[in-house]
Structures are given as structure tokens and as C-alpha cells.
Amino acid sequence: MKYKRLGFIVAFCFVSWIVLAFVIFNDNLAKKNDVENRKGSLLKYIKELELQISQQEQIYKLLADRFKKFTSRPENVVQDMELKFISDHDPTAPSLTIRQDVLQEKSVMLPVLVFSCNRPDIRRSLDGLLKYRPDAKKFPIIVSQDCAHSATAKVIRSYSDASQVTYIQQPDLSEPIVPPGEAKFKGYFKIARHYLFGLKQIFRTFNYTAVIIVEDDLDVAPDFFSYFASTYQLLKNDPSLWCVSAWNDNGKATLVDMQQGNELLYRSDFFPGLGWMITKQLWDELEPKWPKSYWDDWMRRPEQRKDRACIRPEISRTRTFGKIGVSNGMFFDKHLKYIKLNELPVDFSKQNLSHMVQTAYDADYIRLVYSLPVVSASDVRTNTNLPFDGPVRITYHTKDTFKNAAKLLGLMDDFKSGVPRTGYHGIVSVFLNGRRVYLAPHSNWKGYDLTWS
């Protein structure tokens, strides 16, 4: 009986040990599986975090460079702009504001310089300027003619005799000296010489402090003058800007927001031309080294631009009708004739343009673009396989990948001095199939490659 009881106790202990071991084993297995699951989630989270950190690092580096440039500006420039932060309680407010009386300087005169040669239908351009000009004293119109074309001269005189415009003539009508092999480009040498004459007249003879430059084949939008008058002080007081342009190189009706984009403005590293404004201070810099030819491409070179930007609109405030000219209609039939002229006037004097100041603009713009989902150009074109109806980003790594995407979407795909048309930090913005689309360089992009010309 004694041994039987002992055997029962031993058997009970053995069974209990097995049950306990089974429970412990299962618990450890569950914990192991849980640890593995957590480890997988953690690794995934770490990878996502590393990607975000990498993107933020690029943004912070760019902002640090811009901040150094900003803090090195003369103290009086910063004081004149009176930058101040707006309360975080208003999420719709821009990051910075500029004192309104600085932006709304009434006394400054902004002459419109019209370059002309042998186009009698300059009448169309002058009629448009006179139709929309709100103040003849604030916006005097000066027509500078080259070529001594009699029919064109007769048209211009009909306006000057009525005291509507001031008429000046390029005195040097000699044949320019052209390098061997460039005889067919002689017209570009004459144009550069004419620009030198006309701008010297504006800033040296008439002594204006700024000028709006157009050519004799441009229509202007109803708010053309409001646009330039309201951006003048921004140009004058922000050293990171060197021009204001009325032109969007990708301004086809299919590539801009025709419903809500008439108030949109952008900064651009690409010099657009075709209706643009500069200051006397910039001319003091450019005049001594003005080129003999190809002045617009010369302006786009880094030694002239010096990392400065232009302001340009979403919807153009000028449109060219000049198919025939020195360029023999280059790009006109394929592109230029489709550029949309703004038809919904904006009173820019009532717009707060402080978000265009570089320190505010760069931070907001770059953060926005690189936070967007990445899609392919083909999906954007067909409007399929896209995540939602909001803005998206198309990434490019080389000049060729940019050109392929641009051609697919109907954009101008060329580069000048490494800068794509309308590009800002390599980013090109368009509006296609009802959504905002940004073509943007990859996040490790360090700057413009000047071999991309």
C-alpha cells in the first residue's frame, strides 16, 4: 500500500510537469511569434522613417543655404520688408507678410518699352496696351524701332502724334559684324544691339527705375498692368528675384488651371521673357557685359542669373501672334499659338503676395512637392492607376527621363543652361486632367547640371 501511494504521487508529479512544460512552451512560442511580428513592423517603420529623414535632410540643407543668403542681406533690406510671422491659429494665412504700404507704392512709374522693327501690325499690340492701361502717367509707353521700316514707322507715328506713345528710333542701322558661319543668324545680332539701345534710353536718358519690356507681336491680358504694378515692390525688395514675367512657357489651356488658376503665381529659375520687368539696379549689372547676340539665352546663363529667380503666372498675361520673325516661327505652330491668355482679370493690388518671398515660398513649396505620392507620367496622361484626385509627383533622375515625361504630357521638354522651362529647383508644375502634377527631380538632387543645356 505504501509503494502504491508513492507510485501515485510520482505519476501525478510527472503528469503535472508535462502539463506545466506544455503551457510554458506554448507561452514562449506565442511570445516569440509576437516578437517576430513586432520586429517586422518595427523594421518597416524604421525604413519609412529613414526615407522621410532622407527627404527632410535635403529640404533642411536647401533651407539652410537660403537662410545664409537671407541673413547676409543688408539690414535695411530686411527692415524695409518688415517680415513677421503670422499666428499659427490661422492655417490659411501665408507664412510671412509684408507691410502693405511697401507693396502698394503708388508713385513709381513703370514705363512699357515696346521693341519694334518691320511689323505694321504693331497696331494690334499698341491698341491692347492702350485699352487696358489704367494710368497714362504711371505707365508711359515708349516704342523703340529698329530697321527704319517705313510702313511700321507710319503706324507708330500715328500714336505718337496723338501723344499716346513716345517714339524713339535706333540710330545704328549698320550691318553687324557676324562670326564666320553665323551669317544666317544676323538678325539675332541686330536684336541684341537694339535691346542695348532701348534699355540704355530707358535707364540712362529717361532715368526710370524699372521697365516692362514687350515686343510688337504680343497681346496683353486685361490685368497685365495690375500684375506688374503689384509685383514691382516684391522684385525691388527681394534680392533673390531678378525679374517678373507675364509668360508661362507651359501655358497651354490643357496644362493650366483655367477655373481657379488665374491668381496663382510661381517662382521660376528659368528666364521666360515675352513680357518681363527688371529694375535699373539689374541693368547697371548687365549693361557693361551685354552680349552681341542671342541675348535671351545669355540671360539664362548662371553667370547672369546668379541663382536668382523670376516670378511667373499660372496663366499667361501675354500671348504672341508673331509667327513670322527672326526665329522663322520656331515652336509657333507646335506650341506658342496654343498658349492661353488670361481672361478673368485679377486685382493683384488686393492680393497678399508675401508667400512669394523666398524664405516662405521655398519651405512651403518643396515640403509640399516631396510629400506627394509618386506616380508615372503614363498613368497621369491616361488618368488611370492613380491613388486619389489630389496632386501627385512624377520623379525624374536624368535629362532623358524628364524629356520623356514632358513629351508624354505635352510640355516643352528643352533645357537652357541646365534649367527646364518654368522649373524651380528642378520642379515643373502643370495642371492636367483636373489635378496638379509636379515633375520633380529625385530627392538626392543637388542642383542644376549645366551639361543639361
Side-chain angles (χ1 to χ4, degrees):
M1 185 72 180
K2 179 179 179 181
Y3 292 104
K4 185 177 180 180
R5 183 180 299 172
L6 181 62
F8 176 77
I9 293 172
V10 170
F12 176 78
C13 290
F14 179 73
V15 171
S16 299
W17 178 81
I18 290 175
V19 171
L20 181 62
F22 179 77
V23 171
I24 293 173
F25 176 78
N26 278 351
D27 185 57
N28 288 339
L29 183 62
K31 288 182 177 179
K32 183 178 180 181
N33 289 337
D34 184 56
V35 169
E36 290 296 328
N37 290 335
R38 292 184 181 182
K39 183 177 179 181
S41 299
L42 183 60
L43 288 174
K44 181 180 179 181
Y45 176 74
I46 289 173
K47 288 181 180 179
E48 292 176 351
L49 195 60
E50 286 176 345
L51 178 61
Q52 293 180 16
I53 291 173
S54 175
Q55 293 176 346
Q56 289 295 325
E57 183 181 4
Q58 299 300 320
I59 295 174
Y60 293 150
K61 285 181 180 178
L62 177 62
L63 292 179
D65 291 340
R66 300 301 183 187
F67 182 74
K68 287 179 182 178
K69 291 180 182 180
F70 180 76
T71 54
S72 65
R73 296 172 189 169
E75 182 178 356
N76 64 313
V77 172
V78 180
Q79 289 176 345
D80 285 345
M81 295 179 72
E82 288 198 7
L83 302 176
K84 66 178 181 179
F85 286 98
I86 293 179
S87 171
D88 292 335
H89 295 296
D90 182 5
T92 64
S95 302
L96 299 168
T97 188
I98 301 177
R99 198 177 66 196
Q100 285 302 305
D101 61 337
V102 172
L103 280 174
Q104 309 281 342
E105 184 175 320
K106 302 290 186 182
S107 60
V108 65
M109 297 176 68
L110 294 177
V112 179
L113 175 61
V114 184
F115 283 102
S116 178
C117 179
N118 58 355
R119 185 176 280 118
D121 54 359
I122 185 178
R123 182 182 302 278
R124 173 172 166 177
S125 287
L126 294 179
D127 285 346
L129 288 168
L130 292 169
K131 177 180 179 180
Y132 297 121
R133 182 174 64 171
D135 185 337
K137 184 176 180 180
K138 182 177 178 65
F139 300 103
I141 297 173
I142 301 168
V143 181
S144 179
Q145 187 193 9
D146 199 356
C147 311
H149 187 258
S150 59
T152 303
K154 182 178 180 180
V155 172
I156 299 170
R157 286 195 184 95
S158 69
Y159 290 86
S160 64
D161 291 345
S163 301
Q164 294 175 303
V165 306
T166 299
Y167 179 29
I168 60 176
Q169 294 174 286
Q170 155 74 305
D172 186 359
L173 301 179
S174 64
E175 292 298 312
I177 299 175
V178 178
E182 295 190 46
K184 64 180 180 180
F185 301 119
K186 184 185 297 184
Y188 292 103
F189 288 77
K190 291 183 177 181
I191 290 173
R193 184 176 64 186
H194 188 195
Y195 265 72
L196 177 62
F197 164 77
L199 289 168
K200 286 176 69 174
Q201 290 292 303
I202 289 293
F203 292 119
R204 306 302 177 219
T205 303
F206 294 106
N207 200 32
Y208 289 116
T209 58
V211 65
I212 302 167
I213 302 162
V214 298
E215 296 187 4
D216 57 3
D217 60 350
L218 291 181
D219 292 324
V220 299
D223 55 0
F224 174 89
F225 290 98
S226 174
Y227 171 69
F228 281 112
S230 299
T231 53
Y232 167 71
Q233 283 293 340
L234 200 58
L235 173 64
K236 178 183 175 183
N237 289 289
D238 185 349
S240 71
L241 292 172
W242 74 320
C243 87
V244 175
S245 174
W247 180 259
N248 176 3
D249 276 295
N250 289 313
K252 298 178 183 177
T254 55
L255 295 175
V256 295
D257 186 352
M258 296 300 301
Q259 301 300 318
Q260 301 178 5
N262 59 328
E263 296 181 0
L264 283 178
L265 304 181
Y266 295 87
R267 293 174 67 99
S268 175
D269 294 324
F270 191 90
F271 172 74
L274 292 173
W276 48 289
M277 176 171 62
I278 61 171
T279 64
K280 183 178 182 180
Q281 183 179 4
L282 179 66
W283 181 245
D284 291 341
E285 176 188 324
L286 298 179
E287 181 186 1
K289 54 179 181 176
W290 191 254
K292 299 294 184 182
S293 64
Y294 317 117
W295 69 268
D296 49 350
D297 284 342
W298 176 85
M299 288 279 286
R300 293 166 182 141
R301 295 295 302 170
E303 54 267 31
Q304 275 68 251
R305 190 170 68 83
K306 297 180 180 179
D307 291 327
R308 293 173 292 194
C310 294
I311 294 174
R312 60 96 177 168
E314 166 84 355
I315 304 176
S316 291
R317 264 58 185 187
T318 56
R319 177 180 58 199
T320 178
F321 57 85
K323 179 178 179 178
I324 306 301
V326 174
S327 63
N328 294 318
M330 187 184 301
F331 297 129
F332 187 86
D333 285 329
K334 183 180 179 181
H335 186 82
L336 297 180
K337 71 178 183 180
Y338 298 107
I339 298 297
K340 183 66 177 177
L341 186 68
N342 182 58
E343 298 175 350
L344 300 174
V346 175
D347 184 354
F348 283 99
S349 68
K350 296 180 180 179
Q351 300 291 311
N352 187 341
L353 302 180
S354 59
H355 63 285
M356 301 305 298
V357 175
Q358 185 187 41
T359 48
Y361 188 93
D362 283 14
D364 295 340
Y365 191 63
I366 294 171
R367 181 171 58 244
L368 166 66
V369 171
Y370 285 96
S371 69
L372 298 175
V374 177
V375 299
S376 71
S378 58
D379 285 344
V380 170
R381 181 182 181 183
T382 58
N383 207 25
T384 58
N385 302 319
L386 299 176
F388 54 89
D389 293 333
V392 293
R393 170 166 53 106
I394 298 171
T395 298
Y396 68 90
H397 295 79
T398 65
K399 175 184 176 182
D400 287 339
T401 56
F402 174 88
K403 290 173 74 71
N404 290 338
K407 287 178 179 178
L408 199 60
L409 302 178
L411 284 65
M412 294 194 78
D413 63 352
D414 60 326
F415 288 71
K416 298 290 186 180
S417 296
V419 183
R421 290 182 185 267
T422 75
Y424 188 63
H425 297 305
I427 301 167
V428 173
S429 169
V430 295
F431 193 81
L432 188 64
N433 293 331
R435 74 169 72 233
R436 181 63 55 187
V437 179
Y438 298 94
L439 277 72
H442 59 93
S443 59
N444 291 326
W445 180 77
K446 300 296 184 182
Y448 291 115
D449 179 353
L450 295 183
T451 62
W452 292 9
S453 57

